[in-house]
Amino acid sequence: MYIIEYANILKNKQLTACSLLIDEDRIARIESCFNHYRLMKMNVDPFIMTPTYVLFNSKIPLNESFPELKKYLIEHFLLKGCTTLFTYVDVSYENKLTEKISEMKTALISSPIDFVIAVKIPVRLLTPSLIRSCKKEKIPAIFVELDNQGELEKIPWGWIREALFPYNCPLIPLISFSQKKEARDVLSKWKGIMVKEKIPAIYEEIEEKQPLPVTVLNKVGLFPQKASLMQGAELSYNLYVKGREINNVDEVKLFHYHGDRLVVTVHKGKIVRSGNQVLFKPGFGKNVEVRTPSYFSL
């Protein structure tokens, strides 16, 4: 056990000073200080501490060579303070679901970061049978590709709601329209149906290569397991050099505009990035199994 003291944790644009008692790769306790503990202490006062990010990316180059995949994961994840990948497999036929999931797990077996696998389906495949198959595989989210409003009205939403219960993995819209007005209309229709039918869902599209916000992380069951610096959570964090120009910013702005200040990334208690050096650990990443989406109430 050891203590991380004088941590300046960023949350909701506010810095909170505290100390963390660490037990192996977990945060055992968080207090204002641990003065009476005779343990090794690490002073992180010169830095801003944030949880590591969960990044949505559906375009991982899995068919490339290992050196190419390694380069991609370093540049797009580890150097940006991301230690968990959220992605999906494209499923066109229900009987291919298990095979596709298995292929993705195999492709990511050497990943240095954790990964979460959802599925993407055409709206015609949104059936109680498909949902039951997803529940069996513990799929934390189903991306539904929408290409017209009319198809949404044909779906037996009552049966869908019953099939989702009690696992309740959220449905997430994917819009294939190029016209913004049509996309807005479909999303409006989508939200109206989801609210009326009480379907667990995300109401907007999730942006590619962006850190997932806490609201989405909670819906898919990753918070506070991931992207969290709470008591009992895994020890995964970033350290940014403090400076006046990064006062009153949130984690997303740090990710986009202050990557040059990111100096340390720790994943499950292990340093994976120090300065410009990345410690690439093949196979250190694991498939994250979500027990219950939306379990943690915000």
Side-chain angles (χ1 to χ4, degrees):
M1 297 182 76
Y2 65 98
I3 293 167
I4 298 176
E5 60 179 1
Y6 305 117
N8 303 290
I9 297 178
L10 178 63
K11 185 177 181 180
N12 299 327
K13 298 185 179 181
Q14 299 291 324
L15 290 178
T16 301
C18 59
S19 294
L20 294 77
L21 178 65
I22 307 303
D23 185 2
E24 295 184 354
D25 60 351
R26 293 273 158 189
I27 301 172
R29 283 176 60 192
I30 300 176
E31 304 283 351
S32 57
C33 63
F34 292 100
N35 289 336
H36 302 297
Y37 282 64
R38 292 186 176 180
L39 294 170
M40 184 175 68
K41 296 180 179 179
M42 183 174 75
N43 186 338
V44 294
D45 183 54
F47 306 100
I48 291 174
M49 178 183 281
T50 73
T52 56
Y53 306 105
V54 178
L55 200 71
F56 173 52
N57 189 323
S58 66
K59 298 175 175 61
I60 304 296
L62 298 174
N63 296 323
E64 300 291 337
S65 64
F66 178 72
E68 286 297 316
L69 178 60
K70 177 179 177 180
K71 180 183 177 184
Y72 188 90
L73 292 175
I74 288 173
E75 291 179 355
H76 292 84
F77 289 86
L78 293 173
L79 282 175
K80 293 187 174 184
C82 305
T83 59
T84 304
L85 158 68
F86 182 55
T87 190
Y88 58 65
V89 293
D90 200 338
V91 177
S92 298
Y93 300 96
E94 183 183 334
N95 61 4
K96 295 291 185 182
L97 174 67
T98 301
E99 179 185 329
K100 291 274 191 177
I101 294 292
S102 180
E103 287 175 357
M104 178 66 82
K105 289 178 181 177
T106 301
L108 291 171
I109 199 165
S110 62
S111 172
I113 60 174
D114 289 350
F115 49 92
V116 186
I117 304 171
V119 301
K120 169 194 165 189
I121 60 170
V123 68
R124 64 169 173 79
L125 206 60
L126 187 59
T127 63
S129 176
L130 181 281
I131 288 170
R132 285 191 289 269
S133 296
C134 287
K135 281 199 297 187
K136 186 178 178 181
E137 295 287 339
K138 295 290 187 186
I139 303 299
I142 300 172
F143 286 80
V144 182
E145 196 168 22
L146 306 175
D147 49 22
N148 71 71
Q149 296 187 46
E151 288 186 309
L152 290 174
E153 296 169 356
K154 300 174 185 176
I155 294 173
W157 291 109
W159 294 356
I160 297 298
R161 183 176 61 249
E162 289 178 14
L164 286 166
F165 185 82
Y167 190 61
N168 286 333
C169 72
L171 307 182
I172 303 175
L174 270 178
I175 304 296
S176 56
F177 292 110
S178 57
Q179 299 296 322
K180 288 186 177 180
K181 183 181 184 304
E182 290 179 328
R184 283 198 305 269
D185 290 345
V186 171
L187 281 174
S188 177
K189 182 80 171 180
W190 169 267
K191 181 178 179 180
I193 291 173
M194 296 301 105
V195 172
K196 179 185 175 184
E197 300 290 346
K198 297 182 173 60
I199 305 289
I202 307 294
Y203 303 137
E204 301 288 338
E205 286 191 284
I206 297 178
E207 290 186 69
E208 285 274 357
K209 300 180 181 179
Q210 300 281 343
L212 295 186
V214 172
T215 50
V216 173
L217 289 168
N218 182 54
K219 277 278 180 72
V220 299
L222 288 175
F223 187 87
Q225 184 180 2
K226 295 289 182 183
S228 163
L229 290 173
M230 297 173 63
Q231 185 169 310
E234 70 176 39
L235 184 66
S236 295
Y237 64 87
N238 290 317
L239 293 179
Y240 290 83
V241 176
K242 278 196 292 189
R244 274 184 294 178
E245 62 270 36
I246 58 173
N247 286 336
N248 299 317
V249 299
D250 57 26
E251 293 96 325
V252 175
K253 286 184 179 176
L254 274 179
F255 172 82
H256 284 297
Y257 306 117
H258 301 288
D260 59 320
R261 289 183 170 271
L262 177 58
V263 289
V264 172
T265 298
V266 169
H267 180 36
K268 296 185 290 191
K270 305 293 184 184
I271 295 174
V272 295
R273 182 255 176 90
S274 177
N276 291 321
Q277 183 180 5
V278 170
L279 288 77
F280 192 93
K281 302 172 184 285
F284 187 59
K286 303 298 179 187
N287 177 44
V288 180
E289 291 191 2
V290 174
R291 293 179 184 175
T292 311
S294 300
Y295 179 75
F296 190 82
S297 179
L298 292 174

